[in-house]
């Protein structure tokens, strides 16, 4: 399977799962339904860093089923445009907009985060939750973020920085990927990593073979847990000059 097919299948398995949302979204409003490891207080932290103006437009790079971006935009009284390579996720995101009453508008499109097709300087803010470490060319993604941001617009990207024997696909110098932006700040979030480890342990414990989405998560957990000391959990914020 290609990377896109793997995500499409993962989202289909999630649709059929009774346990997936309960694990990922346990501490947050039910409508967010994240496919990511940022806890609810982390979402509030991301919101405070973004400074998204009311009436503005947030672009969500790798939006998945759209919940985190819609929650952030609704909170600010703003609109969101989400891009993701998974058609299954984008269809779910477009169908879920009525779950976020404060949202001015939402539009979700299938596109690569390195080549979104969005106009230059069209975003008041950009967010990307747990995507950067997955893309083949993360520098192309951050260049695309700089292109679509308006001057003065802020970006917040959550990801992991790897060291040691950690999965070689994970970035080793996250700050260096943001050279084209200014005021770059790395925010260490060890508490997010602790929560991720707890979710991994619950997935392994709950994997009785009856739920394919939980089986996927348990497989990921078995692969990543040995490297827990090699993962630095970060949120990066920056400004486009
Ligand atoms: C861990 S999920 C996070 C989804 C969402 N941000 C959330 O918090 O629920 C990663 C997402 O990145 C998307 N993705 C991975 N590589 C991509 C790429 N090159 N272009 C667009 N989307 C991509 C996947 O389809 C998936 O939806």
């Amino acid at each position: 399977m290609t990377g896109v097919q793997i995500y499409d299948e993962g989202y289909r398995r999630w649709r059929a799962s009774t346990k997936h949302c309960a694990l990922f979204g346990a501490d947050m409003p039910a409508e967010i339904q994240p496919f990511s490891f940022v806890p609810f207080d982390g979402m509030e932290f991301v919101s405070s860093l973004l400074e998204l103006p009311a009436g503005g437009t947030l672009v969500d790079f790798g939006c998945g089923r759209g919940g985190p971006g819609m929650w952030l935009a609704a909170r600010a009284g703003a609109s969101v445009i989400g891009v993701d390579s998974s058609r299954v996720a984008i269809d779910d995101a477009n169908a879920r907009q009525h779950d976020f009453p404060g949202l001015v508008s939402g539009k979700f499109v299938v596109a690569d985060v390195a080549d979104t097709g969005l106009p230059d300087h069209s975003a008041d803010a950009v967010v990307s939750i747990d995507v950067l470490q997955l893309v083949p060319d993360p520098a192309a993604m951050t260049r695309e973020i700089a292109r679509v941001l308006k001057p003065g617009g802020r970006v917040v990207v959550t990801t992991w920085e790897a060291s040691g024997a950690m999965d070689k696909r994970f970035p080793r110098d996250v700050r260096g990927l943001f050279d084209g932006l200014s005021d770059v700040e790395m925010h260490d979030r060890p508490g997010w990593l602790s929560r991720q480890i707890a979710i991994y342990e619950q997935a392994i414990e709950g994997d009785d073979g009856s739920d394919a989405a939980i089986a996927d998560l348990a497989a990921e957990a078995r692969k990543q847990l040995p490297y827990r000391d090699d993962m630095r959990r970060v949120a990066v914020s920056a400004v486009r000059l």
Side-chain angles (χ1 to χ4, degrees):
M1 277 201 283
T2 65
V4 173
Q5 288 168 333
I6 289 169
Y7 274 100
D8 278 347
E9 182 56 21
Y11 282 114
R12 279 193 204 97
R13 290 180 179 188
W14 181 359
R15 282 177 179 167
S17 173
T18 55
K19 298 178 188 162
H20 192 282
C21 279
L23 263 188
F24 274 95
D27 67 339
M28 57 182 76
E31 66 275 15
I32 297 184
Q33 300 184 15
F35 197 178
S36 48
F37 289 105
V38 176
F40 189 53
D41 64 358
M43 291 293 298
E44 291 176 315
F45 180 63
V46 169
S47 172
S48 71
L49 292 172
L50 273 177
E51 298 179 14
L52 176 62
T57 298
L58 174 69
V59 176
D60 184 352
F61 276 56
C63 60
R65 300 177 69 246
M70 284 193 274
W71 182 83
L72 289 163
R75 192 171 204 234
S79 298
V80 65
I81 298 170
V83 298
D84 198 286
S85 49
S86 166
R87 162 58 61 195
V88 178
I90 289 297
D91 286 349
D92 282 359
N94 276 313
R96 278 169 20 84
Q97 294 179 40
H98 59 273
D99 294 343
F100 297 84
L103 189 64
V104 175
S105 69
K107 181 180 161 197
F108 296 94
V109 292
V110 176
D112 194 286
V113 289
D115 182 15
T116 62
L118 297 174
D120 292 356
H121 314 319
S122 51
D124 294 284
V126 167
V127 72
S128 184
I129 309 277
D130 296 0
V131 179
L132 184 79
Q133 75 287 345
L134 300 170
V135 305
D137 185 353
M141 172 175 156
T142 53
R143 278 196 301 273
E144 180 70 353
I145 288 171
R147 187 186 69 75
V148 302
L149 264 178
K150 290 179 184 172
R154 302 179 70 87
V155 55
V156 180
V157 170
T158 69
T159 190
W160 293 260
E161 185 169 76
S163 60
M166 174 79 188
D167 192 328
K168 294 288 182 267
R169 291 168 306 172
F170 277 55
R172 306 252 145 184
D173 172 19
V174 170
R175 177 185 277 275
L177 294 169
F178 290 80
D179 277 350
L181 291 152
S182 93
D183 297 0
V184 180
E185 283 189 60
M186 299 276 287
H187 309 269
D188 277 296
R189 300 285 106 183
W192 298 6
L193 190 57
S194 306
R195 177 176 176 275
Q196 176 185 351
I197 289 166
I199 291 173
Y200 275 163
E201 288 169 347
Q202 288 167 47
I204 291 171
E205 199 179 313
D207 178 22
D208 59 9
S210 66
D211 187 316
I214 297 301
D216 283 351
L217 185 57
E220 177 185 320
R222 291 186 191 97
K223 189 174 158 202
Q224 301 292 8
L225 278 173
Y227 303 111
R228 65 175 78 183
D229 295 333
D230 295 337
M231 299 182 213
R232 178 183 177 200
R233 187 63 163 123
V234 293
V236 190
S237 59
V239 180
R240 185 181 193 303
L241 282 183

